[in-house]
Amino acid sequence: MGKATIRDVAKAAKVGIGTVSRVLNNSPKVSLATRMRVLGVIQNLDFHPNNTARLLSRKIRIHNIGVITPPFTNYYAFADRLRGVQRGLAQTPTDYELTLFSVSSLAHFDDQLALILQVRNVEGLLIIDMDLTEMQVDALRQAGIPFAGLNHFRGRSWTCIGTDNIEGGQLATEFLINLGHTRIAYVGDDFPPEYGWPTGEERCAGYKSTLRKHGIEPLDELIRLGPYDYQSAKTRTFALLDLPEPPTAIFAMSDFLALGCIAAIRQRGLRVPEDISVIGYDNLELSFHTGLTTVSQHLELSGELGIKYILSMHGGAESEPAAAPSLPPQSVIVRYTTQSISAA
Amino acid sequence: MGKATIRDVAKAAKVGIGTVSRVLNNSPKVSLATRMRVLGVIQNLDFHPNNTARLLSRKIRIHNIGVITPPFTNYYAFADRLRGVQRGLAQTPTDYELTLFSVSSLAHFDDQLALILQVRNVEGLLIIDMDLTEMQVDALRQAGIPFAGLNHFRGRSWTCIGTDNIEGGQLATEFLINLGHTRIAYVGDDFPPEYGWPTGEERCAGYKSTLRKHGIEPLDELIRLGPYDYQSAKTRTFALLDLPEPPTAIFAMSDFLALGCIAAIRQRGLRVPEDISVIGYDNLELSFHTGLTTVSQHLELSGELGIKYILSMHGGAESEPAAAPSLPPQSVIVRYTTQSISAA
DNA sequence: CGATTCTGTGGAAACGGTTCCACAAGAATC
DNA sequence: GATTCTTGTGGAACCGTTTCCACAGAATCG
């Protein structure tokens, strides 16, 4: 059922297949009577034309690039990357389309990837903020689909376009230390996080190593890990504020969580940055508007470079992949949520 | 050229087409020597398999819904809507994919639409923040593609999922008047705006009618129209502040512009809301984080209802379109950028 | 009234892959 | 040495449309 073809329709309406096709395409050369009869049969049989056959017959080739997107928390980080992808695509005069696959869990990601591999309806793949297993990488290579991750993970054998998270963690921590802070808390996600990406772990490692470099021992009570959401970041910040000796600065693993921290601090009647400094990570467009000090990781640019990389791969020889594009160095964008401890 | 088929490859490699297909699909039942020879020929001829033929032959049917997105200003409004679309799709257990078409100008929009109609690679269409001409509507209906606009325009013959902009304009203005303001400025886009949507015009109409209802004559010097961008909103706000008698409140046509207004006011050393109140329109997630008072227009929900509407259309009879879903009434979300004039 | 156009219509061939059956030739088995 | 099994291969048939050519019958024309 539901598998009616144009031939079934033709038979049922006692016309030729050409006539059915003409009706479907609103060709004027069909008499009204015939047209009505055919349309009736189409309704009856619940016939839906198969677009694949249509495209094949018309010799239309469609090219599209898949974009795999993580679940919905921190949507703006994804949005900033996607904007870059669209911008990059618009700058290249090609007829590629963008197909969005959204993923609701790690298992679902695996399914989606398997489906994409099987159907192969995509000539390139951009994977936002998710990690790949070696098996998945092999499968992708096998299938000859150019792909890149939009993010950065250390030591991966595949192209990741993003900035180094350990370095970024060091940068943020160094910045706070230079401001005179020594009691610096870290608010981030669990290890291993739900979606298997080591981003938070790396940023935290950068935080710890920098503290040690300056002779400060990282304290467990100042490192608050948990689910990656706004509410939870608030809760963990409250816990920090309840400490006998609260931190004077917080490094949040992302701007999204940083906003949760700030909300919690203000809710307690404390001021940012006068009482506590907060630095985030991402430099979302959102963070410009909220005046958040943060580490810029060139989200939008990563999307733009990513799509261009994919497009460059597809034209030519797949044996020698184009050099992975690299982003400019990340840096601390100083705004209004951090200040020197001596100024307090 | 570039049009090599599997048969060309077979001929050139002196093998059967079945063998070529087996090489392409990594079937184990091909001897190494043959495989290498075929791969060589594939490289030589620059052969790329036609995926449409593949899908047809494998009897795989792909269903996708197109999403047309406006240019890149105010990307977060689009992102909030898109998030709703993805959420709605995830809630429905179907195998639809989402294809993104981005549009860079009105002419480009027309081209894109024509292309979509011609190729018909899409079984439903969600049009974000763009208006359609009657011709375009007819063409879409003709093609039998269910579609909906994510926004709201008065008196359109097609389904628009959004909240009424005149009402919203009234709501915002009424709110400011109730706070005691009488010198209320409006900052919005040009009429007719670049992309042909009357959103700004309608909001401004609501603003004017509400002023008049309260016996206040709208003043040209307080109505500042111009390009839809952040910088320009700042410039226009500076002009308002330079007036002999500046406004005590500003109604910005969108949260995005409102943030520009606020930035300008603060840059002059004035305070929001103590010196000037600002209300926006949209209730982006961003606006929650910036503490902006605004009119909620249920952006995310519009996406969710939109995709569900499209999906419901496609299953059943196209003759009787499902009732267009309607959003809950909009309301003013009071945050921290507005206050009573007497409190100053 | 026969020749010519026009209007609808039927259906074979084509689009470019996959799949399945047939089969050759060498290897393994008895 | 005859039989069976295995491995690799060739190519027809098929997927579901569009398109083009052929053609019947009605209308128009000289």
mmCIF file of all heavy atoms in Angstrom, chain B residues 94-136:
data_model
loop_
_atom_site.group_PDB
_atom_site.id
_atom_site.type_symbol
_atom_site.label_atom_id
_atom_site.label_comp_id
_atom_site.label_asym_id
_atom_site.label_seq_id
_atom_site.Cartn_x
_atom_site.Cartn_y
_atom_site.Cartn_z
ATOM 1 N N THR B 94 9.175 10.378 12.475
ATOM 2 C CA THR B 94 9.174 10.235 11.019
ATOM 3 C C THR B 94 10.605 10.306 10.542
ATOM 4 O O THR B 94 11.507 10.636 11.295
ATOM 5 C CB THR B 94 8.395 11.389 10.365
ATOM 6 O OG1 THR B 94 8.871 12.610 10.918
ATOM 7 C CG2 THR B 94 6.920 11.259 10.600
ATOM 8 N N ASP B 95 10.799 10.010 9.275
ATOM 9 C CA ASP B 95 12.164 10.043 8.763
ATOM 10 C C ASP B 95 12.383 11.247 7.856
ATOM 11 O O ASP B 95 13.118 11.175 6.892
ATOM 12 C CB ASP B 95 12.464 8.738 8.028
ATOM 13 C CG ASP B 95 11.437 8.476 6.941
ATOM 14 O OD1 ASP B 95 10.405 9.183 6.928
ATOM 15 O OD2 ASP B 95 11.663 7.596 6.117
ATOM 16 N N TYR B 96 11.735 12.327 8.190
ATOM 17 C CA TYR B 96 11.945 13.527 7.393
ATOM 18 C C TYR B 96 13.287 14.157 7.715
ATOM 19 O O TYR B 96 13.744 14.127 8.847
ATOM 20 C CB TYR B 96 10.844 14.543 7.657
ATOM 21 C CG TYR B 96 9.580 14.230 6.925
ATOM 22 C CD1 TYR B 96 8.626 13.384 7.470
ATOM 23 C CD2 TYR B 96 9.345 14.764 5.660
ATOM 24 C CE1 TYR B 96 7.461 13.086 6.789
ATOM 25 C CE2 TYR B 96 8.190 14.471 4.976
ATOM 26 C CZ TYR B 96 7.250 13.631 5.538
ATOM 27 O OH TYR B 96 6.107 13.334 4.855
ATOM 28 N N GLU B 97 13.877 14.727 6.681
ATOM 29 C CA GLU B 97 15.088 15.505 6.884
ATOM 30 C C GLU B 97 14.752 16.970 6.659
ATOM 31 O O GLU B 97 13.719 17.285 6.083
ATOM 32 C CB GLU B 97 16.171 15.054 5.901
ATOM 33 C CG GLU B 97 16.590 13.630 6.128
ATOM 34 C CD GLU B 97 17.540 13.137 5.035
ATOM 35 O OE1 GLU B 97 17.814 13.894 4.094
ATOM 36 O OE2 GLU B 97 17.973 11.981 5.144
ATOM 37 N N LEU B 98 15.655 17.807 7.110
ATOM 38 C CA LEU B 98 15.449 19.248 6.994
ATOM 39 C C LEU B 98 16.469 19.803 6.018
ATOM 40 O O LEU B 98 17.658 19.585 6.187
ATOM 41 C CB LEU B 98 15.688 19.861 8.370
ATOM 42 C CG LEU B 98 14.612 20.710 9.018
ATOM 43 C CD1 LEU B 98 13.239 20.103 8.850
ATOM 44 C CD2 LEU B 98 14.931 20.879 10.487
ATOM 45 N N THR B 99 16.012 20.499 5.001
ATOM 46 C CA THR B 99 16.952 21.118 4.083
ATOM 47 C C THR B 99 16.862 22.629 4.223
ATOM 48 O O THR B 99 15.773 23.194 4.160
ATOM 49 C CB THR B 99 16.658 20.697 2.639
ATOM 50 O OG1 THR B 99 16.741 19.286 2.562
ATOM 51 C CG2 THR B 99 17.657 21.293 1.691
ATOM 52 N N LEU B 100 18.023 23.236 4.398
ATOM 53 C CA LEU B 100 18.088 24.673 4.647
ATOM 54 C C LEU B 100 18.401 25.426 3.360
ATOM 55 O O LEU B 100 19.402 25.136 2.704
ATOM 56 C CB LEU B 100 19.216 24.928 5.634
ATOM 57 C CG LEU B 100 18.894 25.620 6.936
ATOM 58 C CD1 LEU B 100 17.724 24.959 7.610
ATOM 59 C CD2 LEU B 100 20.106 25.583 7.844
ATOM 60 N N PHE B 101 17.574 26.376 3.020
ATOM 61 C CA PHE B 101 17.881 27.249 1.890
ATOM 62 C C PHE B 101 18.059 28.643 2.435
ATOM 63 O O PHE B 101 17.145 29.171 3.073
ATOM 64 C CB PHE B 101 16.731 27.272 0.892
ATOM 65 C CG PHE B 101 16.394 25.929 0.331
ATOM 66 C CD1 PHE B 101 15.488 25.096 0.973
ATOM 67 C CD2 PHE B 101 16.987 25.485 -0.833
ATOM 68 C CE1 PHE B 101 15.167 23.853 0.460
ATOM 69 C CE2 PHE B 101 16.672 24.235 -1.348
ATOM 70 C CZ PHE B 101 15.771 23.420 -0.702
ATOM 71 N N SER B 102 19.208 29.234 2.212
ATOM 72 C CA SER B 102 19.306 30.595 2.698
ATOM 73 C C SER B 102 19.279 31.556 1.537
ATOM 74 O O SER B 102 19.718 31.265 0.437
ATOM 75 C CB SER B 102 20.524 30.802 3.567
ATOM 76 O OG SER B 102 21.668 30.621 2.805
ATOM 77 N N VAL B 103 18.752 32.682 1.806
ATOM 78 C CA VAL B 103 18.375 33.635 0.792
ATOM 79 C C VAL B 103 19.124 34.925 1.076
ATOM 80 O O VAL B 103 19.227 35.338 2.225
ATOM 81 C CB VAL B 103 16.847 33.817 0.904
ATOM 82 C CG1 VAL B 103 16.424 35.189 0.543
ATOM 83 C CG2 VAL B 103 16.139 32.753 0.095
ATOM 84 N N SER B 104 19.668 35.549 0.047
ATOM 85 C CA SER B 104 20.468 36.730 0.323
ATOM 86 C C SER B 104 19.787 38.018 -0.122
ATOM 87 O O SER B 104 20.234 39.092 0.202
ATOM 88 C CB SER B 104 21.828 36.611 -0.372
ATOM 89 O OG SER B 104 21.631 36.475 -1.754
ATOM 90 N N SER B 105 18.711 37.903 -0.854
ATOM 91 C CA SER B 105 18.004 39.108 -1.288
ATOM 92 C C SER B 105 16.623 38.686 -1.751
ATOM 93 O O SER B 105 16.333 37.503 -1.904
ATOM 94 C CB SER B 105 18.735 39.781 -2.443
ATOM 95 O OG SER B 105 18.656 38.951 -3.585
ATOM 96 N N LEU B 106 15.779 39.672 -2.015
ATOM 97 C CA LEU B 106 14.422 39.355 -2.464
ATOM 98 C C LEU B 106 14.446 38.618 -3.794
ATOM 99 O O LEU B 106 13.712 37.651 -4.013
ATOM 100 C CB LEU B 106 13.600 40.632 -2.605
ATOM 101 C CG LEU B 106 12.550 40.879 -1.532
ATOM 102 C CD1 LEU B 106 11.647 42.014 -1.949
ATOM 103 C CD2 LEU B 106 11.725 39.623 -1.276
ATOM 104 N N ALA B 107 15.309 39.055 -4.694
ATOM 105 C CA ALA B 107 15.401 38.422 -6.007
ATOM 106 C C ALA B 107 15.880 36.979 -5.841
ATOM 107 O O ALA B 107 15.372 36.055 -6.474
ATOM 108 C CB ALA B 107 16.358 39.196 -6.905
ATOM 109 N N HIS B 108 16.847 36.820 -4.961
ATOM 110 C CA HIS B 108 17.372 35.486 -4.700
ATOM 111 C C HIS B 108 16.285 34.582 -4.128
ATOM 112 O O HIS B 108 16.209 33.400 -4.444
ATOM 113 C CB HIS B 108 18.549 35.588 -3.730
ATOM 114 C CG HIS B 108 19.275 34.308 -3.529
ATOM 115 N ND1 HIS B 108 19.943 34.002 -2.370
ATOM 116 C CD2 HIS B 108 19.414 33.231 -4.323
ATOM 117 C CE1 HIS B 108 20.465 32.801 -2.471
ATOM 118 N NE2 HIS B 108 20.166 32.310 -3.649
ATOM 119 N N PHE B 109 15.419 35.152 -3.305
ATOM 120 C CA PHE B 109 14.323 34.385 -2.743
ATOM 121 C C PHE B 109 13.427 33.852 -3.855
ATOM 122 O O PHE B 109 13.060 32.673 -3.875
ATOM 123 C CB PHE B 109 13.505 35.284 -1.797
ATOM 124 C CG PHE B 109 12.285 34.638 -1.208
ATOM 125 C CD1 PHE B 109 12.385 33.440 -0.512
ATOM 126 C CD2 PHE B 109 11.042 35.221 -1.352
ATOM 127 C CE1 PHE B 109 11.254 32.848 0.042
ATOM 128 C CE2 PHE B 109 9.917 34.639 -0.801
ATOM 129 C CZ PHE B 109 10.019 33.451 -0.111
ATOM 130 N N ASP B 110 13.129 34.718 -4.795
ATOM 131 C CA ASP B 110 12.293 34.314 -5.923
ATOM 132 C C ASP B 110 12.964 33.188 -6.709
ATOM 133 O O ASP B 110 12.329 32.193 -7.062
ATOM 134 C CB ASP B 110 12.052 35.527 -6.823
ATOM 135 C CG ASP B 110 10.715 35.426 -7.526
ATOM 136 O OD1 ASP B 110 9.717 35.101 -6.861
ATOM 137 O OD2 ASP B 110 10.668 35.641 -8.744
ATOM 138 N N ASP B 111 14.244 33.334 -6.954
ATOM 139 C CA ASP B 111 14.993 32.304 -7.668
ATOM 140 C C ASP B 111 14.947 30.984 -6.924
ATOM 141 O O ASP B 111 14.670 29.927 -7.500
ATOM 142 C CB ASP B 111 16.467 32.708 -7.807
ATOM 143 C CG ASP B 111 16.636 33.857 -8.769
ATOM 144 O OD1 ASP B 111 15.642 34.207 -9.444
ATOM 145 O OD2 ASP B 111 17.740 34.404 -8.834
ATOM 146 N N GLN B 112 15.235 31.050 -5.640
ATOM 147 C CA GLN B 112 15.258 29.841 -4.814
ATOM 148 C C GLN B 112 13.916 29.138 -4.869
ATOM 149 O O GLN B 112 13.830 27.919 -5.028
ATOM 150 C CB GLN B 112 15.573 30.186 -3.350
ATOM 151 C CG GLN B 112 17.023 30.510 -3.088
ATOM 152 C CD GLN B 112 17.867 29.256 -2.919
ATOM 153 O OE1 GLN B 112 17.649 28.255 -3.584
ATOM 154 N NE2 GLN B 112 18.845 29.317 -2.043
ATOM 155 N N LEU B 113 12.860 29.926 -4.753
ATOM 156 C CA LEU B 113 11.523 29.355 -4.756
ATOM 157 C C LEU B 113 11.242 28.685 -6.098
ATOM 158 O O LEU B 113 10.716 27.567 -6.161
ATOM 159 C CB LEU B 113 10.508 30.479 -4.489
ATOM 160 C CG LEU B 113 9.308 30.133 -3.628
ATOM 161 C CD1 LEU B 113 9.738 29.442 -2.351
ATOM 162 C CD2 LEU B 113 8.527 31.392 -3.301
ATOM 163 N N ALA B 114 11.610 29.369 -7.169
ATOM 164 C CA ALA B 114 11.394 28.813 -8.502
ATOM 165 C C ALA B 114 12.158 27.501 -8.648
ATOM 166 O O ALA B 114 11.644 26.503 -9.177
ATOM 167 C CB ALA B 114 11.853 29.813 -9.565
ATOM 168 N N LEU B 115 13.377 27.502 -8.157
ATOM 169 C CA LEU B 115 14.204 26.296 -8.225
ATOM 170 C C LEU B 115 13.556 25.157 -7.458
ATOM 171 O O LEU B 115 13.448 24.020 -7.943
ATOM 172 C CB LEU B 115 15.579 26.603 -7.640
ATOM 173 C CG LEU B 115 16.640 25.539 -7.893
ATOM 174 C CD1 LEU B 115 16.982 25.494 -9.365
ATOM 175 C CD2 LEU B 115 17.886 25.809 -7.068
ATOM 176 N N ILE B 116 13.089 25.463 -6.274
ATOM 177 C CA ILE B 116 12.456 24.444 -5.448
ATOM 178 C C ILE B 116 11.228 23.894 -6.158
ATOM 179 O O ILE B 116 11.006 22.684 -6.203
ATOM 180 C CB ILE B 116 12.055 25.043 -4.084
ATOM 181 C CG1 ILE B 116 13.304 25.339 -3.273
ATOM 182 C CG2 ILE B 116 11.139 24.099 -3.325
ATOM 183 C CD1 ILE B 116 13.040 26.074 -1.984
ATOM 184 N N LEU B 117 10.467 24.773 -6.742
ATOM 185 C CA LEU B 117 9.264 24.356 -7.449
ATOM 186 C C LEU B 117 9.635 23.450 -8.620
ATOM 187 O O LEU B 117 8.979 22.440 -8.880
ATOM 188 C CB LEU B 117 8.530 25.579 -7.996
ATOM 189 C CG LEU B 117 7.276 26.077 -7.284
ATOM 190 C CD1 LEU B 117 6.746 25.029 -6.327
ATOM 191 C CD2 LEU B 117 7.513 27.350 -6.548
ATOM 192 N N GLN B 118 10.678 23.830 -9.321
ATOM 193 C CA GLN B 118 11.062 23.086 -10.505
ATOM 194 C C GLN B 118 11.600 21.712 -10.112
ATOM 195 O O GLN B 118 11.225 20.690 -10.684
ATOM 196 C CB GLN B 118 12.132 23.877 -11.253
ATOM 197 C CG GLN B 118 12.218 23.522 -12.713
ATOM 198 C CD GLN B 118 13.651 23.582 -13.194
ATOM 199 O OE1 GLN B 118 14.465 24.349 -12.661
ATOM 200 N NE2 GLN B 118 13.979 22.764 -14.165
ATOM 201 N N VAL B 119 12.463 21.702 -9.146
ATOM 202 C CA VAL B 119 13.097 20.448 -8.746
ATOM 203 C C VAL B 119 12.173 19.621 -7.853
ATOM 204 O O VAL B 119 12.220 18.401 -7.868
ATOM 205 C CB VAL B 119 14.428 20.757 -8.024
ATOM 206 C CG1 VAL B 119 15.002 19.509 -7.411
ATOM 207 C CG2 VAL B 119 15.402 21.365 -8.995
ATOM 208 N N ARG B 120 11.342 20.321 -7.089
ATOM 209 C CA ARG B 120 10.346 19.660 -6.236
ATOM 210 C C ARG B 120 10.989 18.621 -5.313
ATOM 211 O O ARG B 120 10.426 17.564 -5.086
ATOM 212 C CB ARG B 120 9.328 18.933 -7.098
ATOM 213 C CG ARG B 120 8.062 19.700 -7.374
ATOM 214 C CD ARG B 120 7.047 18.717 -7.913
ATOM 215 N NE ARG B 120 5.918 19.316 -8.585
ATOM 216 C CZ ARG B 120 5.988 20.062 -9.676
ATOM 217 N NH1 ARG B 120 7.169 20.312 -10.200
ATOM 218 N NH2 ARG B 120 4.895 20.545 -10.223
ATOM 219 N N ASN B 121 12.149 18.972 -4.817
ATOM 220 C CA ASN B 121 12.851 17.994 -3.995
ATOM 221 C C ASN B 121 12.420 18.070 -2.542
ATOM 222 O O ASN B 121 13.088 17.574 -1.659
ATOM 223 C CB ASN B 121 14.355 18.208 -4.097
ATOM 224 C CG ASN B 121 15.107 17.117 -3.431
ATOM 225 O OD1 ASN B 121 14.690 15.963 -3.492
ATOM 226 N ND2 ASN B 121 16.195 17.441 -2.775
ATOM 227 N N VAL B 122 11.314 18.653 -2.295
ATOM 228 C CA VAL B 122 10.931 18.993 -0.942
ATOM 229 C C VAL B 122 9.434 18.714 -0.790
ATOM 230 O O VAL B 122 8.665 18.959 -1.696
ATOM 231 C CB VAL B 122 11.325 20.485 -0.743
ATOM 232 C CG1 VAL B 122 10.143 21.319 -0.367
ATOM 233 C CG2 VAL B 122 12.485 20.627 0.177
ATOM 234 N N GLU B 123 9.036 18.132 0.298
ATOM 235 C CA GLU B 123 7.631 17.766 0.436
ATOM 236 C C GLU B 123 6.878 18.688 1.375
ATOM 237 O O GLU B 123 5.763 18.376 1.803
ATOM 238 C CB GLU B 123 7.515 16.327 0.918
ATOM 239 C CG GLU B 123 8.084 15.372 -0.104
ATOM 240 C CD GLU B 123 8.078 13.941 0.376
ATOM 241 O OE1 GLU B 123 7.220 13.600 1.188
ATOM 242 O OE2 GLU B 123 8.955 13.188 -0.070
ATOM 243 N N GLY B 124 7.528 19.770 1.707
ATOM 244 C CA GLY B 124 6.875 20.748 2.556
ATOM 245 C C GLY B 124 7.844 21.904 2.683
ATOM 246 O O GLY B 124 9.047 21.742 2.470
ATOM 247 N N LEU B 125 7.319 23.065 2.995
ATOM 248 C CA LEU B 125 8.175 24.237 2.993
ATOM 249 C C LEU B 125 7.790 25.145 4.150
ATOM 250 O O LEU B 125 6.619 25.470 4.335
ATOM 251 C CB LEU B 125 7.987 24.977 1.667
ATOM 252 C CG LEU B 125 9.124 25.822 1.154
ATOM 253 C CD1 LEU B 125 10.410 25.032 1.123
ATOM 254 C CD2 LEU B 125 8.788 26.306 -0.242
ATOM 255 N N LEU B 126 8.790 25.534 4.908
ATOM 256 C CA LEU B 126 8.594 26.468 6.004
ATOM 257 C C LEU B 126 9.326 27.747 5.627
ATOM 258 O O LEU B 126 10.542 27.708 5.367
ATOM 259 C CB LEU B 126 9.196 25.867 7.268
ATOM 260 C CG LEU B 126 8.310 25.406 8.428
ATOM 261 C CD1 LEU B 126 6.879 25.167 8.034
ATOM 262 C CD2 LEU B 126 8.903 24.168 9.066
ATOM 263 N N ILE B 127 8.626 28.821 5.601
ATOM 264 C CA ILE B 127 9.214 30.066 5.133
ATOM 265 C C ILE B 127 9.331 31.011 6.310
ATOM 266 O O ILE B 127 8.320 31.458 6.862
ATOM 267 C CB ILE B 127 8.351 30.674 4.029
ATOM 268 C CG1 ILE B 127 8.278 29.688 2.867
ATOM 269 C CG2 ILE B 127 8.899 32.009 3.582
ATOM 270 C CD1 ILE B 127 7.108 29.880 1.967
ATOM 271 N N ILE B 128 10.558 31.281 6.680
ATOM 272 C CA ILE B 128 10.775 32.085 7.867
ATOM 273 C C ILE B 128 10.892 33.557 7.519
ATOM 274 O O ILE B 128 11.727 33.940 6.694
ATOM 275 C CB ILE B 128 12.044 31.611 8.610
ATOM 276 C CG1 ILE B 128 11.839 30.174 9.081
ATOM 277 C CG2 ILE B 128 12.370 32.537 9.767
ATOM 278 C CD1 ILE B 128 12.921 29.655 9.973
ATOM 279 N N ASP B 129 10.015 34.363 8.114
ATOM 280 C CA ASP B 129 10.148 35.813 8.039
ATOM 281 C C ASP B 129 10.234 36.400 6.638
ATOM 282 O O ASP B 129 10.948 37.388 6.429
ATOM 283 C CB ASP B 129 11.400 36.253 8.819
ATOM 284 C CG ASP B 129 11.073 36.403 10.295
ATOM 285 O OD1 ASP B 129 9.914 36.610 10.620
ATOM 286 O OD2 ASP B 129 12.006 36.296 11.111
ATOM 287 N N MET B 130 9.542 35.774 5.694
ATOM 288 C CA MET B 130 9.489 36.383 4.365
ATOM 289 C C MET B 130 8.047 36.357 3.893
ATOM 290 O O MET B 130 7.286 35.461 4.227
ATOM 291 C CB MET B 130 10.343 35.602 3.375
ATOM 292 C CG MET B 130 11.772 35.382 3.793
ATOM 293 S SD MET B 130 12.879 35.801 2.449
ATOM 294 C CE MET B 130 13.503 37.340 3.035
ATOM 295 N N ASP B 131 7.721 37.326 3.076
ATOM 296 C CA ASP B 131 6.366 37.404 2.554
ATOM 297 C C ASP B 131 6.337 36.772 1.158
ATOM 298 O O ASP B 131 7.357 36.660 0.492
ATOM 299 C CB ASP B 131 5.939 38.873 2.475
ATOM 300 C CG ASP B 131 4.432 39.011 2.419
ATOM 301 O OD1 ASP B 131 3.742 37.977 2.456
ATOM 302 O OD2 ASP B 131 3.947 40.149 2.335
ATOM 303 N N LEU B 132 5.159 36.336 0.744
ATOM 304 C CA LEU B 132 5.010 35.731 -0.576
ATOM 305 C C LEU B 132 4.089 36.591 -1.441
ATOM 306 O O LEU B 132 3.131 37.168 -0.945
ATOM 307 C CB LEU B 132 4.379 34.338 -0.453
ATOM 308 C CG LEU B 132 5.180 33.261 0.267
ATOM 309 C CD1 LEU B 132 4.327 32.014 0.454
ATOM 310 C CD2 LEU B 132 6.412 32.921 -0.534
ATOM 311 N N THR B 133 4.379 36.631 -2.724
ATOM 312 C CA THR B 133 3.446 37.274 -3.643
ATOM 313 C C THR B 133 2.335 36.277 -3.976
ATOM 314 O O THR B 133 2.486 35.076 -3.761
ATOM 315 C CB THR B 133 4.143 37.663 -4.954
ATOM 316 O OG1 THR B 133 4.566 36.452 -5.597
ATOM 317 C CG2 THR B 133 5.358 38.520 -4.688
ATOM 318 N N GLU B 134 1.234 36.799 -4.515
ATOM 319 C CA GLU B 134 0.137 35.903 -4.870
ATOM 320 C C GLU B 134 0.597 34.880 -5.909
ATOM 321 O O GLU B 134 0.194 33.720 -5.890
ATOM 322 C CB GLU B 134 -1.056 36.694 -5.409
ATOM 323 C CG GLU B 134 -1.966 37.233 -4.310
ATOM 324 C CD GLU B 134 -2.444 36.155 -3.319
ATOM 325 O OE1 GLU B 134 -2.868 35.071 -3.771
ATOM 326 O OE2 GLU B 134 -2.374 36.381 -2.091
ATOM 327 N N MET B 135 1.464 35.316 -6.806
ATOM 328 C CA MET B 135 1.970 34.397 -7.827
ATOM 329 C C MET B 135 2.730 33.232 -7.193
ATOM 330 O O MET B 135 2.582 32.076 -7.592
ATOM 331 C CB MET B 135 2.905 35.132 -8.782
ATOM 332 C CG MET B 135 2.237 35.612 -10.045
ATOM 333 S SD MET B 135 3.484 36.328 -11.147
ATOM 334 C CE MET B 135 4.703 35.014 -11.251
ATOM 335 N N GLN B 136 3.540 33.568 -6.211
ATOM 336 C CA GLN B 136 4.313 32.523 -5.542
ATOM 337 C C GLN B 136 3.390 31.558 -4.805
ATOM 338 O O GLN B 136 3.589 30.343 -4.840
ATOM 339 C CB GLN B 136 5.317 33.160 -4.584
ATOM 340 C CG GLN B 136 6.428 33.918 -5.311
ATOM 341 C CD GLN B 136 7.275 34.759 -4.371
ATOM 342 O OE1 GLN B 136 6.799 35.239 -3.344
ATOM 343 N NE2 GLN B 136 8.530 34.950 -4.734
#
